[in-house]
Amino acid sequence: GIGQDITARLAQEREYSKLIDNANAPIFGVDTSGRVNVWNKCARKIVGYTLDEVMGKNLVQEFITNEYKDAVSTVLNLALQGQETANFEFPLVTKHGVRIEVLLNATTRRDEQGHVIGVVGIGQDITGRIAQEREYSKLIDTANAPIFGVDTKGSVNVWNQCARKLVGYNTNEVMGHSLVKEFITEDYQASVQTVLDKALDGVETANFEFPLITKAGARIEVLLNATTRRNEHGKVIGVVGIGQDITARL
């Protein structure tokens, strides 16, 4: 028979396993049948299950909440076909029944011949961040000033209680609609668009006055501060406008 010295390869695989096990992020792996074959220390710590409790078990069927089983299965199946997924959010239930939110990057795992042998998922526990975002949303919604937000296309994605009360449109009537085209008077559309475009470029505007037409057809004067909205990586994702009704002042 013809031998092959695989000492270096085995040493490399051991080093790789050690790196995964000691990584400061929850990392799990499944084989082509979806059964767990990697479960690092951080995953054990966060989720609470030991190696013996997860190895060989079906990840989706046994550890994913019912409403996310299909979505997680799809992500794993795509990775088994070579299509990797980044920043997929889903909940995991810990051994103690606590729901944690995980941000996942699913990577195709291949052997040295390039054959797909499974999926490795590198996670991030974002439970705290999501709780913070919910708190932020609540603060915005209950603030004593009209606050709206638009995404990078100018479509409304934030519309707080005070804005609803002042302008008369409820959330369903504005969400996803173009703020400038649908709610700003024609003579101010260009200047409001400029303020939004500048904020999307990181240049914020303070004390910009413009009129809004309420649902009832009344014209109100608003003093606006337009602030750039960024995600946790610093990427611009839209604009938040904090307003003040100055109709009575004029």
Short mmCIF file of all heavy atoms in Angstrom, two decimals, residues 22-68:
data_model
loop_
_atom_site.label_atom_id
_atom_site.label_comp_id
_atom_site.label_asym_id
_atom_site.label_seq_id
_atom_site.Cartn_x
_atom_site.Cartn_y
_atom_site.Cartn_z
N ASN A 22 -11.98 27.51 22.12
CA ASN A 22 -11.62 28.61 23.03
C ASN A 22 -12.08 29.98 22.56
O ASN A 22 -11.82 30.98 23.23
CB ASN A 22 -10.11 28.63 23.26
CG ASN A 22 -9.64 27.40 24.02
OD1 ASN A 22 -10.29 26.96 24.96
ND2 ASN A 22 -8.54 26.82 23.59
N ALA A 23 -12.72 30.03 21.41
CA ALA A 23 -13.13 31.33 20.85
C ALA A 23 -14.10 32.05 21.78
O ALA A 23 -14.88 31.43 22.49
CB ALA A 23 -13.78 31.12 19.49
N ASN A 24 -14.05 33.37 21.73
CA ASN A 24 -14.90 34.20 22.58
C ASN A 24 -16.26 34.47 21.93
O ASN A 24 -16.80 35.57 22.01
CB ASN A 24 -14.17 35.53 22.85
CG ASN A 24 -14.83 36.31 23.95
OD1 ASN A 24 -15.53 35.75 24.78
ND2 ASN A 24 -14.65 37.62 23.94
N ALA A 25 -16.79 33.47 21.26
CA ALA A 25 -18.10 33.57 20.61
C ALA A 25 -18.70 32.17 20.59
O ALA A 25 -17.96 31.19 20.49
CB ALA A 25 -17.94 34.08 19.18
N PRO A 26 -20.03 32.06 20.71
CA PRO A 26 -20.62 30.73 20.61
C PRO A 26 -20.47 30.17 19.20
O PRO A 26 -20.86 30.83 18.24
CB PRO A 26 -22.09 30.95 20.98
CG PRO A 26 -22.34 32.40 20.73
CD PRO A 26 -21.04 33.11 20.92
N ILE A 27 -19.86 29.00 19.08
CA ILE A 27 -19.67 28.37 17.76
C ILE A 27 -20.21 26.95 17.84
O ILE A 27 -19.92 26.21 18.78
CB ILE A 27 -18.18 28.33 17.36
CG1 ILE A 27 -17.61 29.76 17.28
CG2 ILE A 27 -18.00 27.62 16.01
CD1 ILE A 27 -16.13 29.84 16.93
N PHE A 28 -21.04 26.62 16.86
CA PHE A 28 -21.53 25.24 16.77
C PHE A 28 -21.34 24.76 15.35
O PHE A 28 -21.16 25.56 14.42
CB PHE A 28 -23.01 25.16 17.20
CG PHE A 28 -23.93 25.89 16.27
CD1 PHE A 28 -24.39 25.29 15.10
CD2 PHE A 28 -24.33 27.18 16.55
CE1 PHE A 28 -25.23 25.96 14.23
CE2 PHE A 28 -25.17 27.86 15.68
CZ PHE A 28 -25.62 27.24 14.51
N GLY A 29 -21.40 23.45 15.18
CA GLY A 29 -21.31 22.90 13.84
C GLY A 29 -22.30 21.76 13.71
O GLY A 29 -22.63 21.10 14.71
N VAL A 30 -22.79 21.56 12.49
CA VAL A 30 -23.65 20.41 12.22
C VAL A 30 -23.10 19.67 11.00
O VAL A 30 -22.41 20.25 10.17
CB VAL A 30 -25.13 20.81 11.96
CG1 VAL A 30 -25.76 21.42 13.20
CG2 VAL A 30 -25.26 21.77 10.78
N ASP A 31 -23.42 18.37 10.94
CA ASP A 31 -23.03 17.60 9.75
C ASP A 31 -24.10 17.78 8.67
O ASP A 31 -25.02 18.59 8.83
CB ASP A 31 -22.81 16.13 10.12
CG ASP A 31 -24.08 15.46 10.67
OD1 ASP A 31 -25.20 15.99 10.47
OD2 ASP A 31 -23.95 14.39 11.30
N THR A 32 -24.00 17.03 7.58
CA THR A 32 -24.94 17.20 6.46
C THR A 32 -26.36 16.77 6.82
O THR A 32 -27.30 17.09 6.12
CB THR A 32 -24.45 16.43 5.22
OG1 THR A 32 -24.19 15.08 5.61
CG2 THR A 32 -23.19 17.06 4.64
N SER A 33 -26.52 16.05 7.94
CA SER A 33 -27.87 15.67 8.39
C SER A 33 -28.42 16.64 9.43
O SER A 33 -29.50 16.42 9.97
CB SER A 33 -27.84 14.27 9.02
OG SER A 33 -27.26 13.35 8.14
N GLY A 34 -27.65 17.68 9.73
CA GLY A 34 -28.12 18.67 10.70
C GLY A 34 -27.86 18.29 12.15
O GLY A 34 -28.40 18.90 13.06
N ARG A 35 -27.01 17.26 12.34
CA ARG A 35 -26.71 16.83 13.71
C ARG A 35 -25.47 17.55 14.24
O ARG A 35 -24.48 17.71 13.53
CB ARG A 35 -26.49 15.32 13.75
CG ARG A 35 -27.74 14.57 13.33
CD ARG A 35 -27.66 13.07 13.53
NE ARG A 35 -28.87 12.45 13.02
CZ ARG A 35 -30.03 12.44 13.66
NH1 ARG A 35 -30.14 13.01 14.84
NH2 ARG A 35 -31.10 11.87 13.13
N VAL A 36 -25.55 17.96 15.49
CA VAL A 36 -24.47 18.75 16.11
C VAL A 36 -23.17 17.94 16.19
O VAL A 36 -23.17 16.82 16.69
CB VAL A 36 -24.88 19.22 17.53
CG1 VAL A 36 -23.74 20.01 18.18
CG2 VAL A 36 -26.14 20.07 17.48
N ASN A 37 -22.06 18.54 15.68
CA ASN A 37 -20.76 17.90 15.81
C ASN A 37 -19.68 18.87 16.30
O ASN A 37 -18.53 18.48 16.48
CB ASN A 37 -20.33 17.20 14.50
CG ASN A 37 -20.30 18.15 13.32
OD1 ASN A 37 -20.47 19.36 13.47
ND2 ASN A 37 -20.10 17.60 12.13
N VAL A 38 -20.07 20.13 16.51
CA VAL A 38 -19.18 21.12 17.12
C VAL A 38 -20.03 21.93 18.11
O VAL A 38 -21.16 22.33 17.78
CB VAL A 38 -18.59 22.10 16.07
CG1 VAL A 38 -17.78 23.22 16.75
CG2 VAL A 38 -17.71 21.38 15.05
N TRP A 39 -19.50 22.15 19.31
CA TRP A 39 -20.25 22.89 20.34
C TRP A 39 -19.20 23.44 21.31
O TRP A 39 -18.76 22.76 22.21
CB TRP A 39 -21.21 21.93 21.04
CG TRP A 39 -22.23 22.55 21.96
CD1 TRP A 39 -22.21 22.54 23.33
CD2 TRP A 39 -23.43 23.22 21.59
NE1 TRP A 39 -23.32 23.17 23.82
CE2 TRP A 39 -24.10 23.59 22.77
CE3 TRP A 39 -24.02 23.55 20.36
CZ2 TRP A 39 -25.32 24.28 22.77
CZ3 TRP A 39 -25.22 24.23 20.35
CH2 TRP A 39 -25.86 24.59 21.55
N ASN A 40 -18.77 24.66 21.08
CA ASN A 40 -17.61 25.15 21.83
C ASN A 40 -17.95 25.61 23.25
O ASN A 40 -19.12 25.63 23.66
CB ASN A 40 -16.86 26.24 21.03
CG ASN A 40 -17.53 27.61 21.11
OD1 ASN A 40 -18.70 27.74 21.43
ND2 ASN A 40 -16.76 28.64 20.81
N LYS A 41 -16.91 25.97 24.00
CA LYS A 41 -17.07 26.35 25.41
C LYS A 41 -18.07 27.50 25.57
O LYS A 41 -18.89 27.50 26.48
CB LYS A 41 -15.72 26.78 26.01
CG LYS A 41 -14.79 25.64 26.34
CD LYS A 41 -13.47 26.18 26.87
CE LYS A 41 -12.46 25.06 27.06
NZ LYS A 41 -11.11 25.57 27.27
N CYS A 42 -17.96 28.49 24.68
CA CYS A 42 -18.82 29.67 24.79
C CYS A 42 -20.29 29.29 24.55
O CYS A 42 -21.19 29.79 25.23
CB CYS A 42 -18.36 30.74 23.80
SG CYS A 42 -19.06 32.36 24.14
N ALA A 43 -20.54 28.37 23.61
CA ALA A 43 -21.91 27.89 23.37
C ALA A 43 -22.41 27.15 24.62
O ALA A 43 -23.57 27.32 25.02
CB ALA A 43 -21.94 26.96 22.15
N ARG A 44 -21.54 26.35 25.21
CA ARG A 44 -21.91 25.60 26.42
C ARG A 44 -22.27 26.56 27.55
O ARG A 44 -23.27 26.39 28.25
CB ARG A 44 -20.76 24.68 26.87
CG ARG A 44 -20.32 23.69 25.81
CD ARG A 44 -19.53 22.53 26.38
NE ARG A 44 -18.11 22.75 26.61
CZ ARG A 44 -17.15 22.70 25.70
NH1 ARG A 44 -17.44 22.50 24.42
NH2 ARG A 44 -15.88 22.85 26.04
N LYS A 45 -21.47 27.63 27.68
CA LYS A 45 -21.69 28.60 28.74
C LYS A 45 -23.00 29.38 28.53
O LYS A 45 -23.79 29.56 29.46
CB LYS A 45 -20.49 29.57 28.76
CG LYS A 45 -20.46 30.51 29.93
CD LYS A 45 -19.18 31.34 29.88
CE LYS A 45 -19.30 32.60 30.72
NZ LYS A 45 -18.20 33.53 30.47
N ILE A 46 -23.23 29.85 27.30
CA ILE A 46 -24.41 30.68 27.03
C ILE A 46 -25.70 29.87 27.05
O ILE A 46 -26.70 30.27 27.63
CB ILE A 46 -24.24 31.42 25.66
CG1 ILE A 46 -23.20 32.53 25.79
CG2 ILE A 46 -25.57 32.01 25.20
CD1 ILE A 46 -22.88 33.23 24.49
N VAL A 47 -25.66 28.70 26.40
CA VAL A 47 -26.91 27.92 26.23
C VAL A 47 -27.12 26.95 27.40
O VAL A 47 -28.25 26.56 27.70
CB VAL A 47 -26.93 27.19 24.87
CG1 VAL A 47 -28.30 26.61 24.58
CG2 VAL A 47 -26.54 28.15 23.74
N GLY A 48 -26.02 26.56 28.07
CA GLY A 48 -26.17 25.74 29.28
C GLY A 48 -26.11 24.24 29.07
O GLY A 48 -26.06 23.48 30.04
N TYR A 49 -26.15 23.78 27.80
CA TYR A 49 -26.06 22.34 27.54
C TYR A 49 -24.62 21.91 27.41
O TYR A 49 -23.81 22.60 26.78
CB TYR A 49 -26.80 21.99 26.24
CG TYR A 49 -28.29 22.15 26.31
CD1 TYR A 49 -28.92 23.23 25.71
CD2 TYR A 49 -29.09 21.20 26.96
CE1 TYR A 49 -30.30 23.39 25.77
CE2 TYR A 49 -30.47 21.34 27.03
CZ TYR A 49 -31.06 22.44 26.43
OH TYR A 49 -32.43 22.60 26.49
N THR A 50 -24.27 20.76 27.98
CA THR A 50 -22.92 20.22 27.86
C THR A 50 -22.75 19.56 26.50
O THR A 50 -23.73 19.36 25.76
CB THR A 50 -22.67 19.15 28.94
OG1 THR A 50 -23.56 18.06 28.68
CG2 THR A 50 -22.92 19.69 30.33
N LEU A 51 -21.51 19.18 26.20
CA LEU A 51 -21.23 18.47 24.94
C LEU A 51 -22.08 17.20 24.83
O LEU A 51 -22.68 16.93 23.79
CB LEU A 51 -19.75 18.06 24.88
CG LEU A 51 -18.75 19.11 24.38
CD1 LEU A 51 -17.34 18.56 24.49
CD2 LEU A 51 -19.04 19.47 22.93
N ASP A 52 -22.11 16.41 25.91
CA ASP A 52 -22.85 15.14 25.88
C ASP A 52 -24.33 15.33 25.58
O ASP A 52 -24.98 14.47 25.00
CB ASP A 52 -22.73 14.42 27.24
CG ASP A 52 -21.29 13.99 27.52
OD1 ASP A 52 -20.52 13.90 26.55
OD2 ASP A 52 -20.95 13.79 28.70
N GLU A 53 -24.87 16.49 26.00
CA GLU A 53 -26.30 16.73 25.81
C GLU A 53 -26.66 17.16 24.39
O GLU A 53 -27.82 17.08 24.00
CB GLU A 53 -26.77 17.81 26.81
CG GLU A 53 -26.78 17.33 28.25
CD GLU A 53 -27.08 18.45 29.24
OE1 GLU A 53 -26.40 19.49 29.19
OE2 GLU A 53 -27.98 18.27 30.06
N VAL A 54 -25.67 17.64 23.63
CA VAL A 54 -25.99 18.13 22.28
C VAL A 54 -25.38 17.31 21.15
O VAL A 54 -25.98 17.22 20.08
CB VAL A 54 -25.56 19.61 22.09
CG1 VAL A 54 -26.35 20.53 23.00
CG2 VAL A 54 -24.08 19.81 22.30
N MET A 55 -24.23 16.70 21.37
CA MET A 55 -23.54 16.01 20.28
C MET A 55 -24.41 14.91 19.67
O MET A 55 -24.98 14.08 20.38
CB MET A 55 -22.23 15.39 20.78
CG MET A 55 -21.15 16.43 20.98
SD MET A 55 -20.78 17.35 19.44
CE MET A 55 -19.09 17.77 19.71
N GLY A 56 -24.53 14.97 18.33
CA GLY A 56 -25.31 13.96 17.62
C GLY A 56 -26.80 14.24 17.58
O GLY A 56 -27.55 13.56 16.89
N LYS A 57 -27.24 15.28 18.32
CA LYS A 57 -28.67 15.63 18.32
C LYS A 57 -28.96 16.56 17.14
O LYS A 57 -28.09 17.30 16.68
CB LYS A 57 -29.05 16.35 19.63
CG LYS A 57 -28.74 15.55 20.89
CD LYS A 57 -29.95 14.76 21.35
CE LYS A 57 -29.61 13.76 22.44
NZ LYS A 57 -29.30 14.39 23.71
N ASN A 58 -30.21 16.56 16.70
CA ASN A 58 -30.60 17.44 15.60
C ASN A 58 -30.75 18.87 16.14
O ASN A 58 -31.59 19.12 17.00
CB ASN A 58 -31.91 16.96 14.99
CG ASN A 58 -32.27 17.75 13.74
OD1 ASN A 58 -32.62 18.92 13.81
ND2 ASN A 58 -32.17 17.11 12.60
N LEU A 59 -29.92 19.78 15.64
CA LEU A 59 -29.90 21.15 16.16
C LEU A 59 -31.27 21.82 16.07
O LEU A 59 -31.77 22.36 17.05
CB LEU A 59 -28.86 21.99 15.39
CG LEU A 59 -28.80 23.45 15.83
CD1 LEU A 59 -27.97 23.60 17.09
CD2 LEU A 59 -28.25 24.35 14.73
N VAL A 60 -31.86 21.77 14.88
CA VAL A 60 -33.12 22.49 14.66
C VAL A 60 -34.26 21.89 15.46
O VAL A 60 -35.00 22.60 16.16
CB VAL A 60 -33.47 22.54 13.14
CG1 VAL A 60 -34.86 23.11 12.92
CG2 VAL A 60 -32.43 23.37 12.39
N GLN A 61 -34.41 20.57 15.38
CA GLN A 61 -35.55 19.92 16.05
C GLN A 61 -35.49 20.04 17.56
O GLN A 61 -36.51 20.17 18.22
CB GLN A 61 -35.62 18.42 15.66
CG GLN A 61 -35.92 18.17 14.19
CD GLN A 61 -37.11 18.96 13.67
OE1 GLN A 61 -38.12 19.11 14.34
NE2 GLN A 61 -36.97 19.51 12.46
N GLU A 62 -34.29 20.03 18.13
CA GLU A 62 -34.21 19.96 19.59
C GLU A 62 -33.85 21.26 20.30
O GLU A 62 -34.09 21.39 21.49
CB GLU A 62 -33.19 18.87 19.99
CG GLU A 62 -33.57 17.53 19.34
CD GLU A 62 -33.08 16.33 20.11
OE1 GLU A 62 -32.85 16.44 21.32
OE2 GLU A 62 -32.93 15.28 19.47
N PHE A 63 -33.29 22.24 19.57
CA PHE A 63 -32.81 23.43 20.29
C PHE A 63 -33.33 24.76 19.75
O PHE A 63 -33.03 25.81 20.32
CB PHE A 63 -31.27 23.46 20.30
CG PHE A 63 -30.68 22.21 20.92
CD1 PHE A 63 -30.14 21.21 20.12
CD2 PHE A 63 -30.70 22.01 22.29
CE1 PHE A 63 -29.62 20.05 20.67
CE2 PHE A 63 -30.19 20.86 22.85
CZ PHE A 63 -29.65 19.88 22.05
N ILE A 64 -34.11 24.73 18.68
CA ILE A 64 -34.62 25.99 18.08
C ILE A 64 -36.12 26.11 18.39
O ILE A 64 -36.84 25.13 18.30
CB ILE A 64 -34.37 26.02 16.55
CG1 ILE A 64 -32.87 25.78 16.22
CG2 ILE A 64 -34.86 27.32 15.93
CD1 ILE A 64 -31.92 26.84 16.70
N THR A 65 -36.55 27.32 18.72
CA THR A 65 -37.98 27.54 19.02
C THR A 65 -38.82 27.24 17.77
O THR A 65 -38.36 27.45 16.64
CB THR A 65 -38.25 29.00 19.46
OG1 THR A 65 -37.82 29.87 18.43
CG2 THR A 65 -37.51 29.35 20.74
N ASN A 66 -40.04 26.77 18.00
CA ASN A 66 -40.91 26.33 16.90
C ASN A 66 -41.05 27.34 15.77
O ASN A 66 -40.97 26.99 14.60
CB ASN A 66 -42.30 25.96 17.42
CG ASN A 66 -42.29 24.58 18.07
OD1 ASN A 66 -41.43 23.75 17.77
ND2 ASN A 66 -43.22 24.35 18.98
N GLU A 67 -41.24 28.62 16.14
CA GLU A 67 -41.52 29.61 15.08
C GLU A 67 -40.30 29.91 14.21
O GLU A 67 -40.42 30.52 13.16
CB GLU A 67 -42.12 30.90 15.66
CG GLU A 67 -41.14 31.86 16.30
CD GLU A 67 -40.96 31.69 17.80
OE1 GLU A 67 -41.13 30.57 18.31
OE2 GLU A 67 -40.61 32.69 18.45
N TYR A 68 -39.11 29.44 14.64
CA TYR A 68 -37.89 29.70 13.87
C TYR A 68 -37.29 28.44 13.23
O TYR A 68 -36.29 28.52 12.54
CB TYR A 68 -36.83 30.39 14.73
CG TYR A 68 -36.99 31.90 14.72
CD1 TYR A 68 -37.90 32.53 15.56
CD2 TYR A 68 -36.26 32.68 13.83
CE1 TYR A 68 -38.05 33.91 15.53
CE2 TYR A 68 -36.42 34.05 13.80
CZ TYR A 68 -37.31 34.66 14.65
OH TYR A 68 -37.46 36.03 14.61
#
